[in-house]
Amino acid sequence: MADSVTNITWDIAEDPFNTTNVGEEGLDKKWFELAELLLGEDRKAREQKISDFKSLLYADPKMSKFITPNLLESEAYLIIYLRAGAWDVTQALAVLNGFYSLGLNYKPYVEMSIPSKLGHVWREKLNTVCEKRDRFGRRVLILRLGKWDPDTIPVEQFFASTFVLLEMLTKEVKTQIAGLTVVIDVQGFSFKHIRNLGINEVRLASAFLHGSFPLWVRRIHVVYQPRIYGILMNLAKPFLSENAKDCLILHGSDLSSFHQEVPPELLPAD
């Protein structure tokens, strides 16, 4: 499911992220055809799936504090996890538990995930969501790991900014369905970065990319990686799921195959 290249495609066009208009109203039926193909989404069985999921959640004592209008009482919120679990109620619960566990296991990073307090990170343009989707309908997230300077931006803030963007993207119905293409630009990656990325950060990055966030990561492109990046990959491999390994492509400086999936006109000018 990680790869999921389909024959349902779109022309590349502007589709700016808008937090006030992310619902299903007015969505072209082509998106629901893609949801059926990728996620097994059945519009007729949907209400029953939501009801089954609610019953499972409401029977779990540790979920009681999340039974609020904006969280587990919200149908739109529940659908985020049902889509992330391909409408398998048990799998949706596993994704939800994984997401909530981030707040327990990585509290310093999650508590810092307040957009207004990360202005200096946004100014550096370390993490970017492209305004155009790729031809498979996926959002494209660019992480400029090599540009990050640990001396001026602590590792917790770098990861917090990634958390903020991913959480915002979970609200987009199109992204819930089509998923995400992640581009990791490691040009300039050095021993300074290695020194600031411990096992905790590697585990958190792996959780972000697969399993603990209610988003389908369909492809991970790593570009401009120097030889030293292999040290980080060796640290990360034990924590990567098979799905993550399957959708990971290392391009180096030859971007010809990268541009076949992520053409230059989709990418920001800088």
Side-chain angles (χ1 to χ4, degrees):
M1 187 72 78
D3 191 346
S4 299
V5 173
T6 77
N7 59 358
I8 300 177
T9 58
W10 282 263
D11 293 332
I12 293 174
E14 295 280 340
D15 187 13
F17 180 74
N18 183 346
T19 55
T20 62
N21 184 27
V22 292
E24 295 183 6
E25 188 176 346
L27 209 60
D28 191 284
K29 67 176 184 179
K30 193 173 174 181
W31 287 98
F32 297 111
E33 291 170 1
L34 185 65
E36 182 178 2
L37 181 65
L38 292 181
L39 309 177
E41 186 166 322
D42 181 350
R43 306 286 286 176
K44 294 178 182 177
R46 180 165 151 147
E47 292 306 315
Q48 186 59 53
K49 289 282 188 180
I50 293 169
S51 176
D52 292 346
F53 192 31
K54 272 187 176 178
S55 298
L56 200 61
L57 293 170
Y58 286 22
D60 187 341
K62 72 176 182 293
M63 291 293 172
S64 59
K65 63 182 177 181
F66 302 113
I67 301 175
T68 66
N70 291 329
L71 296 176
L72 300 185
E73 290 179 359
S74 164
E75 185 171 296
Y77 187 78
L78 296 179
I79 288 173
I80 290 172
Y81 294 93
L82 284 164
R83 285 190 170 126
W87 291 90
D88 179 301
V89 172
T90 304
Q91 187 57 35
L93 179 61
V95 176
L96 180 62
N97 280 325
F99 181 65
Y100 284 0
S101 73
L102 290 177
L104 298 173
N105 299 331
Y106 304 99
K107 198 170 183 179
Y109 306 87
V110 175
E111 286 184 341
M112 206 174 287
S113 300
I114 302 170
S116 60
K117 296 188 180 297
L118 296 169
H120 56 302
V121 184
W122 309 132
R123 283 191 294 273
E124 292 297 318
K125 298 182 179 179
L126 299 178
N127 301 330
T128 305
V129 176
C130 296
E131 292 201 346
K132 299 175 182 177
R133 294 179 180 274
D134 69 14
R135 62 193 177 95
F136 302 110
R138 306 166 187 157
R139 269 293 180 211
V140 178
L141 172 66
I142 301 174
L143 306 177
R144 296 183 174 93
L145 186 59
K147 188 181 177 184
W148 163 52
D149 183 356
D151 291 338
T152 58
I153 295 177
V155 64
E156 294 86 358
Q157 293 179 8
F158 179 77
F159 275 87
S161 68
T162 306
F163 186 96
V164 166
L165 290 178
L166 288 171
E167 189 171 31
M168 289 172 69
L169 289 173
T170 64
K171 296 177 172 62
E172 287 191 306
V173 172
K174 293 178 183 178
T175 307
Q176 292 167 18
I177 294 169
L180 203 60
T181 289
V182 178
V183 179
I184 305 176
D185 182 349
V186 284
Q187 188 171 29
F189 190 82
S190 67
F191 275 111
K192 181 194 287 189
H193 297 97
I194 293 286
R195 287 196 299 270
N196 284 273
L197 292 169
I199 291 297
N200 229 25
E201 286 75 32
V202 170
R203 288 172 66 99
L204 178 56
S206 302
F208 277 177
L209 294 174
H210 271 281
S212 293
F213 238 93
L215 281 172
W216 287 95
V217 177
R218 305 291 186 186
R219 186 75 86 202
I220 305 168
H221 297 281
V222 179
V223 297
Y224 297 121
Q225 74 273 15
R227 191 169 297 177
I228 191 176
Y229 185 72
I231 297 174
L232 185 62
M233 284 304 302
N234 288 335
L235 283 173
K237 276 179 182 176
F239 305 109
L240 292 175
S241 67
E242 288 307 311
N243 274 348
K245 292 174 185 175
D246 288 344
C247 71
L248 178 66
I249 304 176
L250 304 177
H251 295 276
S253 57
D254 181 359
L255 304 186
S256 53
S257 61
F258 168 64
H259 286 317
Q260 288 176 12
E261 286 198 16
V262 186
E265 63 265 28
L266 191 153
L267 300 168
D270 57 353

